Amino acid sequence: MTAGSIPERFAEQVARTPDAVAVTSGGVDLTYRELDGRANQLARRLLDLGVGPAEPVAILMARTADLAVALVGTVKSGAAFLPLHSAYPMERMEWIIGQSGCRVLLADRATADTGLPRGAKVVIVDDDPELAASPATDPAVAVRPDQLAYVMYTSGSTGQPKGVGVEHRAALGLMLDSCWDSGRHQRVLMVAPYAFGVSNYELWVPLLHGGHTVMAPPGDLEVATLRRLIAEHGITAVHLTAGLFRVIAEEAPDVLAGVREVMTGGDVIAPSSVDKVLRACPDIVVRAMYGSTESTLFTTNSPMTAPFTPGPTVPVGRPMDTIRVYVLDAELRQVPVGETGELYVAGPRLARGYVGRPDLTAERFVADPFGEPGDRMYRTGDLGRWTPDGLIDFAGRADDQVKIRGFRVELQEVESTLAKVPGVAHVAVLAKPADDGTKRLVGYVAGDVDLDALRATAKEWLPGYMVPDTFVVLDQLPLTPNGKLDRRALPEPPAATGSHDNGPRNDTERLLCDLFAEVLGVPSVGIDDDFFELGGQSLLAMRLINRIQEVTGTTLPIVALFDAGTVAGLAGELA
């Protein structure tokens, strides 16, 4: 077990390298001394507001240097940070604030100008006179190892998200793991949403090792921006979700030239993608990672280097420091090597549990029959097997949880939300594999359904990655002989098709229609067809923007596609 707390270890690093750059965002560099001083001011402001030990403080900010100030300042005050995802609908954020008991919300001016959730006192980190006037000296708050460091909300099977509470000792167990001692993690690119657990690697691992975090611009990245950031800042390590890793491997693996280590995970990793990256960048280490928020992010890892021979799967590796992984059958007996069982994780890196949900905590965090008295293990719901050489091979899920673009989604939460729509008698949601290797959600509904109202409700209550790409209306959902939903009998959704009307009017539109159709995998696209209504999502958007640059030599920001949506709209941007 790792002793101490995050602010204690950060203070030690500040003392060692006060003038080294800690965080870069755009044209702003913060040294360790500057980051520490600004974080001290924020910590004192939170204490003046009466924030107590381990009290959750919500954060809703853009990915900038001010975000680093907010995260460091919160833990220095003794509070626990609770990140809100900018993709969350307002109702979802307000529900989280209420359920967690947050009394303070940290924001920045740009986010505040677009609207903030109600229910908490707002502090604008980059525009608060009282914060700016606070002393920059350390408030010297004693933080115990067993105090909560952060709370992260994930999709919940009960129809509401659930907050995972992680203590300082568990977080430090991740941040100080020997996996990071190779020297390859000194300049890390932060690309993940900070409400996503990987952000804890991207910020805290460099900061507690004297390294340097470079913040990618807010929003989704296109290949050209990723290439520029890696080259300009000499990035040595980056984490990419399995879906994004696949896109980079297929579209432009040379983007990673110069990076010393790329980590990937969060879903099934394609062996062919690993092969393509290692062929393009033979000096790089590709590291498969596996874990969950409940076990403090990463629990196993498997480094791969050139020469690489692709196998049928990419094993997720061996347990990290202090982690124990069991592969068990339904009676909690360890299964033999090569046989499939459910993965359980044990050790001091486990989260405390689900905030305010002792019932869910007792269901997923159970007694460890192989450990010392009082030890717990976390039931992951994942299936896996031991390989003969001592690696864990991921084999899917034992329940209805899926990963969509790296985010965890409980299908029951999506179903519960859709069931609230008037006229919906029955609903089921499945994750269907797409041609590009990702998964897409399909919603099946029966009843007198208004599809526009159904989509509007889904977007109002669910993050974008949890909204089904396609809805299928049926007279009734198929049932098994004993009256339960027969998911296997649900029909395949109709293939997306573009319009045969509204054809291209000029060469630019003709080119874009062809590229839209190529990326979406549809026969044709009209100039008024919406990219996202035809099944497009952020990874396909990244692929389309890269294809446009390859063919035309013109680089468009990915936000241009999100704003325009159609060929007609994007043609104006391209012109």
Side-chain angles (χ1 to χ4, degrees), residues 196-208:
F196 190 23
V198 171
S199 63
N200 284 319
Y201 155 74
E202 294 171 327
L203 180 69
W204 294 109
V205 167
L207 287 187
L208 299 188

Side-chain angles (χ1 to χ4, degrees), residues 87-89 92 413 458-459 461-467:
Y88 289 170
R92 189 182 185 88
E413 182 179 356
K459 291 178 180 178
W461 286 97
L462 297 171
Y465 58 86
M466 293 178 66
V467 177

Side-chain angles (χ1 to χ4, degrees), residues 224 511 515 545-556 574:
L511 171 64
L515 292 177
I545 292 295
N546 188 59
R547 290 289 291 123
I548 291 172
Q549 182 187 10
E550 287 180 345
V551 173
T552 69
T554 301
T555 301
L556 290 175
L574 190 60

Side-chain angles (χ1 to χ4, degrees), residues 266 289-300 382 403 408:
M289 310 297 293
Y290 166 80
S292 64
T293 308
E294 287 87 346
S295 53
T296 318
L297 187 57
F298 301 135
T299 51
T300 71
D382 289 329
K403 286 289 183 75
R408 186 164 72 182

Side-chain angles (χ1 to χ4, degrees), residues 315-341:
V316 294
R318 294 180 173 83
M320 297 170 69
D321 297 348
T322 75
I323 293 290
R324 302 189 300 277
V325 177
Y326 309 124
V327 183
L328 308 180
D329 63 16
E331 282 72 43
L332 300 185
R333 297 173 302 197
Q334 300 197 53
V335 303
V337 171
E339 292 191 13
T340 299

